[in-house]
Amino acid sequence: MAKYFKKPEDQIEGSVERVTFHSEESGFCVLRAKVRGHRELVTVIGKLPAIVAGEFISATGDWIVDKQHGRQFKADHIKNTPPSSLKGIEKFLSSGLIKGIGPKYAERLVEHFGKDVYDIMECNSAKLEEVEGIGKKRRLLIKESWNENKAIRAIMGFLIANGAGTSRAFRIYKIYGDSAIQKVQRDPYCLARDIRGIGFKIADKIADKIGIEKDSDLRARAGVEHVLLEITTEGHCATPRPTLLEKAQEILDIPEDIINNAIDYGVNTKRLTSKIIPEISIEPLIYLTKLYNAELQSAYILHDLQKTKHPCPKIDIEKAIAWCEEKTGLTFAAQQKISIEMAIENKLMIITGGPGVGKTTIVNGIIKILQAKKLKVILAAPTGRAAKRMSETTGHPAKTIHRLLEFDPHAGGFKKNQNSPLEGDIFIIDESSMLDISLAHNLLQAFPRHAAVIFVGDVDQLPSVGPGTVLKDMIESHNIPTCKLNEIFRQAANSDIVVNAHNIHKGKKLAAGSKDKESDFYFIEAEEPEKALQIIQQMVSKNIPQKFGVNPISDIQVLTPMRRGILGSQNINMTLQDILNPSKVQIEKFGFFYRINDKIMQLQNNYDKDVYNGDIGRIIKIDNIENEVTVDFDGRKLIYSFYELDEIEPCYAFTIHKSQGSEFPCVVIPIHTQHYIMLQRNLFYTAVTRGKKLVVLVGNQKGLNIAISRNDVSQRITTLKRWLSMSPKDLATIITKNTFQ
């Protein structure tokens, strides 16, 4: 019987002359290398976590002949190390890999230290200051970058070896530090919990590679928490146990009893909470404990705030309102006077209503009267754009809630809390429909108990992106004084934007401008998505700027129901970027091109940089030597490492959900049956109310009709309303019992 032996693999060694292609996500690379024994450069294909020109590689694999590219070396394994020749070292250091070293300093370092330069950076970095032009600041930058790159490359290598992408390696290093690999080896599911962009599937893939059993308790417990976190992204604060069990089984594909044990373990260790709420479900609701506590304690604080006297001394309200009208030149309507009176008499109240009903006028009146009584009024809103707009409309400074509460990135929490409350007598919180239960809880904890609090918002807009329906639950509890405004004022009634917003809310037909009728609201019909995209491009780049004299980048915003598809934010964004900002100064990272002068959006809260999800800025500098991008956020210049660019993305178009709390001079909204799954009245209403001077709809009539008529929004599972409906005494009993269990 014949024996067959596998052909021994070939080996090559050489230096990388050029990196033709490298994927930061998968590690796949195409290299041109100067290989020993070969006169011409050799094409090497394989996988490496990171690679730059000048590095030395040793590889094992096979020679192949590609039909298109000819002879290549296909590597099964490649190892890369910094080069050892002086020329190679200089090329390696010139690559931009190490911050603070460009071609000029690479040449000086090699000339001064020769082949010892690596050891100097590693073990004796103080000597770097011997080189002309390198002071303490640059020396520390070089040292930090050298160490950081070493650690990140090790993490990248670990991720690739275990079947995962590498693009989040920097974030893993930033969160876990030098112990990242050991931490992930102990519990790979920590990645799904802690690292944005790494979901349960990737963590599960790594877990499988390092030998964690499919039916292990560790995997089941992580899977249960993952499902609950996914459910919170849909806005729910809890879910019935059978639903949790079913979804966990679907993802984990393990026996039901193991998942049940994992749920019980979570409840016993107080990571999860199980409660029967008969009006919601006959089955126990399972919460992440932090959300259960946030709802319960928020309700208690809201009750507690109403116990004491209003900080405003007793005044004649009619005289105060008349004085305010005289000072401001305004005449308040009857409903507005009632709102002002309620705000001066109640320690806690809500003002809600759509556009054009006078919410801002009421807030300005309240501020005027209370400040005249020497009370300290504090204004805040959930996002930077909402806070900026509040400042502009009131003439008083307003902060984001995060800045108001003073997040401490080192301690991982807010400095302002129940032990160190905010200073102020009156707190006015705008755009309160955006408050999720976690942020609301942190805010409520920080209010001093003597203060009065006024929540202002439009309850008919989209609810918060995070879990909960705080404003809606507060209103529907009927335990917090609420003024619902519904009268459109004369000036606002002249705006088709305002009129149509109210028409959408009522499910009525829209009034739109045409060639013959001037308006601030237009519908342009386009049956095919491709045609709609062309019209949007034409509108944004030429028609609107020419007719209305606006800047296409800063003044026009495209808002779309979805991310994907021809009329999704990703595709529109890419096409508008090419039209509006075809700059050649760019870099490609995380699937996007980032260019000088790009309009970008922050995608997550970054407490170190003091910049938050939804903030919009402009790229003003790309530094390929320092590997940094500088972004201007309303005069604040922030620096992002290339590794951090997954925190931002170009935003010529973004989803309607991302637009909450914002207002733009001109808004263009694709509304088409292609978006069928997302078309809802509250989504459409939110989009239209973002436009200040002009709203242009582009799409088909059927899509428009669906968006107006469909109002079957699924109810979020929240229990704040239930706790608010209870007496303070009963609520206190539950909290005490919950604390000592």
Side-chain angles (χ1 to χ4, degrees):
M1 188 173 175
K3 289 185 179 179
Y4 294 93
F5 297 94
K6 186 175 181 234
K7 173 184 170 290
E9 289 189 312
D10 289 307
Q11 292 184 322
I12 63 167
E13 291 183 336
S15 60
V16 177
E17 290 294 309
R18 186 169 73 250
V19 179
T20 304
F21 175 80
H22 180 252
S23 165
E24 290 182 333
E25 178 57 34
S26 67
F28 176 76
C29 57
V30 180
L31 312 174
R32 296 284 284 164
K34 190 179 285 183
V35 175
R36 289 174 188 167
H38 293 263
R39 188 174 295 173
E40 303 293 330
L41 292 179
V42 170
T43 299
V44 182
I45 57 174
K47 279 191 173 184
L48 276 170
I51 183 73
V52 294
E55 287 191 283
F56 186 82
I57 58 168
S58 57
T60 56
D62 297 296
W63 291 97
I64 62 168
V65 178
D66 183 88
K67 286 181 182 178
Q68 185 176 352
H69 302 290
R71 194 166 186 251
Q72 299 177 335
F73 190 81
K74 186 179 180 183
D76 296 323
H77 177 74
I78 312 179
K79 183 182 178 184
N80 58 323
T81 54
S84 55
S85 71
L86 291 178
K87 186 179 177 184
I89 292 170
E90 186 177 325
K91 190 169 188 177
F92 172 70
L93 293 178
S94 297
S95 67
L97 182 72
I98 310 300
K99 288 183 182 179
I101 303 178
K104 180 175 71 175
Y105 284 105
E107 183 182 352
R108 289 180 188 176
L109 284 164
V110 171
E111 188 180 316
H112 192 84
F113 297 115
K115 293 182 180 181
D116 294 332
V117 67
Y118 300 143
D119 289 333
I120 296 294
M121 288 192 289
E122 180 84 29
C123 307
N124 196 4
S125 65
K127 292 190 76 174
L128 293 173
E129 293 186 35
E130 294 173 7
V131 175
E132 183 191 349
I134 297 182
K136 185 179 178 181
K137 187 177 178 182
R138 186 177 289 271
R139 186 255 298 177
L140 291 173
L141 180 64
I142 292 169
K143 172 70 173 173
E144 182 185 359
S145 182
W146 175 262
N147 291 338
E148 200 173 76
N149 262 281
K150 226 173 35 166
I152 291 168
R153 284 181 170 221
I155 295 167
M156 285 177 165
F158 171 80
L159 293 173
I160 283 182
N162 289 290
T166 66
S167 61
R168 311 294 170 189
F170 177 76
R171 196 172 301 287
I172 295 170
Y173 172 70
K174 278 292 185 187
I175 290 176
Y176 299 145
D178 293 332
S179 62
I181 292 174
Q182 296 93 308
K183 187 172 176 65
V184 174
Q185 283 172 329
R186 280 198 306 272
D187 177 11
Y189 297 104
C190 67
L191 291 171
R193 291 191 294 269
D194 301 337
I195 312 296
R196 193 182 71 84
I198 296 184
F200 180 81
K201 286 182 180 178
I202 294 174
D204 205 29
K205 194 174 180 181
I206 295 172
D208 181 57
K209 281 274 190 178
I210 64 177
I212 292 174
E213 296 293 332
K214 185 179 178 181
D215 59 356
S216 71
D217 288 337
L218 178 67
R219 182 170 182 264
R221 292 165 190 171
V224 164
E225 289 197 27
H226 162 70
V227 170
L228 276 172
L229 280 169
E230 286 291 298
I231 286 167
T232 67
T233 65
E234 297 167 15
H236 303 296
C237 292
T239 195
R241 183 164 179 145
T243 305
L244 176 59
L245 190 62
E246 183 186 339
K247 290 191 175 183
Q249 263 196 297
E250 190 181 310
I251 288 172
L252 299 172
D253 190 26
I254 58 177
E256 187 177 299
D257 63 316
I258 296 175
I259 298 172
N260 267 319
N261 288 339
I263 296 171
D264 291 338
Y265 176 85
V267 173
N268 291 335
T269 56
K270 297 189 178 180
R271 290 184 66 83
L272 310 179
T273 295
S274 175
K275 289 288 171 187
I276 294 177
I277 311 290
E279 59 266 40
I280 295 176
S281 171
I282 58 171
E283 299 287 349
L285 291 180
I286 307 296
Y287 302 74
L288 291 167
T289 295
K290 63 181 181 180
L291 291 185
Y292 174 75
N293 288 339
E295 283 201 322
L296 203 57
Q297 290 167 14
S298 293
Y300 182 80
I301 295 167
L302 286 165
H303 279 310
D304 199 42
L305 277 168
Q306 298 182 75
K307 285 181 183 176
T308 53
K309 258 178 68 179
H310 196 289
C312 183
K314 198 73 178 169
I315 61 172
D316 185 323
I317 293 174
E318 282 189 23
K319 282 185 179 178
I321 290 173
W323 170 85
C324 186
E325 286 179 324
E326 186 185 335
K327 288 288 181 184
T328 60
L330 296 170
T331 301
F332 296 114
Q335 207 174 41
Q336 291 177 317
K337 289 179 181 179
I338 291 168
S339 293
I340 294 170
E341 185 175 343
M342 286 174 69
I344 293 168
E345 290 182 342
N346 293 281
K347 274 202 70 197
L348 182 65
M349 80 163 292
I350 296 165
I351 300 171
T352 186
V357 295
K359 294 193 296 292
T360 301
T361 303
I362 292 166
V363 167
N364 284 332
I366 292 167
I367 293 170
K368 192 84 176 168
I369 291 168
L370 293 176
Q371 284 188 332
K373 293 298 173 183
K374 308 299 182 189
L375 295 171
K376 185 177 181 181
V377 181
I378 306 295
L379 310 183
T383 67
R385 283 172 288 157
K388 184 181 178 186
R389 187 155 57 91
M390 196 181 189
S391 294
E392 290 168 353
T393 56
T394 63
H396 295 273
K399 290 183 178 180
T400 64
I401 293 170
H402 286 90
R403 288 195 179 104
L404 182 70
L405 297 179
E406 298 177 23
F407 191 86
D408 182 353
H410 304 294
F414 292 106
K415 292 179 182 176
K416 295 298 180 184
N417 49 45
Q418 64 270 40
N419 300 318
S420 177
L422 293 161
E423 293 180 7
D425 302 306
I426 313 291
F427 291 85
I428 303 176
I429 311 302
D430 201 8
E431 295 290 354
S432 296
S433 62
M434 296 180 69
L435 286 172
D436 63 43
I437 189 59
S438 298
L439 185 58
H441 179 228
N442 282 307
L443 180 62
L444 288 166
Q445 283 181 308
F447 287 140
R449 291 300 177 266
H450 80 275
V453 179
I454 302 166
F455 291 102
V456 183
D458 185 349
V459 76
D460 297 314
Q461 284 185 24
L462 285 169
S464 60
V465 174
T469 51
V470 175
L471 183 64
K472 180 172 176 279
D473 287 352
M474 287 195 297
I475 292 169
E476 292 184 356
S477 74
H478 302 297
N479 270 335
I480 298 172
T482 301
C483 186
K484 293 183 180 178
L485 305 169
N486 48 34
E487 181 188 346
I488 304 175
F489 288 93
R490 190 179 304 154
Q491 188 177 352
N494 293 327
S495 164
D496 283 340
I497 295 174
V498 172
V499 170
N500 282 324
H502 288 270
N503 285 343
I504 292 165
H505 175 54
K506 295 170 185 173
K508 291 183 175 180
K509 188 179 176 182
L510 302 185
S514 64
K515 289 178 182 177
D516 306 317
K517 180 196 170 191
E518 284 294 318
S519 174
D520 57 4
F521 190 102
Y522 294 87
F523 173 54
I524 302 170
E525 196 158 0
E527 195 58 45
E528 297 302 319
E530 293 81 3
K531 180 64 176 174
L533 180 61
Q534 289 175 7
I535 291 170
I536 289 167
Q537 292 168 348
Q538 178 78 10
M539 284 285 150
V540 173
S541 63
K542 292 182 181 175
N543 294 13
I544 294 174
Q546 286 173 4
K547 182 169 182 178
F548 296 94
V550 296
N551 184 299
I553 295 179
S554 59
D555 295 334
I556 304 174
Q557 187 59 56
V558 177
L559 302 177
T560 181
M562 298 174 74
R563 277 184 69 83
R564 302 193 184 281
I566 293 172
L567 294 175
S569 62
Q570 288 178 323
N571 187 53
I572 298 174
N573 210 354
M574 189 168 61
T575 59
L576 286 180
Q577 184 188 38
D578 286 340
I579 294 169
L580 299 177
N581 190 27
S583 172
K584 300 296 182 190
V585 183
Q586 65 178 23
I587 57 163
E588 185 179 7
K589 294 283 177 184
F590 302 105
F592 291 96
F593 286 104
Y594 296 87
R595 298 172 179 166
I596 292 285
N597 205 39
D598 262 341
K599 178 167 69 171
I600 62 90
M601 176 184 280
Q602 178 75 18
L603 302 176
Q604 67 178 91
N605 294 336
N606 185 320
Y607 300 107
D608 290 317
K609 288 183 168 60
D610 192 25
V611 62
Y612 300 97
N613 186 3
D615 287 353
I616 291 178
R618 284 283 190 99
I619 292 177
I620 57 172
K621 183 180 179 184
I622 295 175
D623 189 331
N624 285 296
I625 294 176
E626 302 291 343
N627 290 346
E628 292 174 343
V629 167
T630 304
V631 181
D632 186 328
F633 289 96
D634 288 325
R636 294 177 63 240
K637 294 176 177 59
L638 302 181
I639 293 173
Y640 291 77
S641 156
F642 284 179
Y643 291 122
E644 296 178 295
L645 291 180
D646 62 331
E647 288 190 16
I648 62 175
E649 69 179 31
C651 67
Y652 302 95
F654 51 81
T655 62
I656 295 166
H657 280 88
K658 283 281 187 186
S659 73
Q660 288 173 268
S662 305
E663 195 173 69
F664 307 96
C666 308
V667 168
V668 177
I669 307 167
I671 198 88
H672 196 278
T673 42
Q674 189 183 70
H675 302 133
Y676 180 82
I677 194 170
M678 292 296 293
L679 295 179
Q680 288 281 355
R681 188 181 295 172
N682 65 346
L683 185 88
F684 188 30
Y685 173 83
T686 300
V688 167
T689 54
R690 302 307 90 203
K692 191 176 179 181
K693 296 178 180 176
L694 178 70
V695 170
V696 178
L697 311 180
V698 181
N700 58 4
Q701 188 66 50
K702 189 176 179 182
L704 184 63
N705 293 341
I706 293 168
I708 294 171
S709 62
R710 191 194 279 169
N711 200 29
D712 54 342
V713 182
S714 59
Q715 294 296 309
R716 295 182 171 192
I717 297 175
T718 73
T719 41
L720 176 63
K721 175 183 166 183
R722 181 182 199 267
W723 307 131
L724 279 169
S725 301
M726 294 175 72
S727 72
K729 185 180 177 182
D730 289 344
L731 198 55
T733 302
I734 293 173
I735 291 172
T736 304
K737 186 181 176 185
N738 189 54
T739 303
F740 291 104
Q741 271 181 339

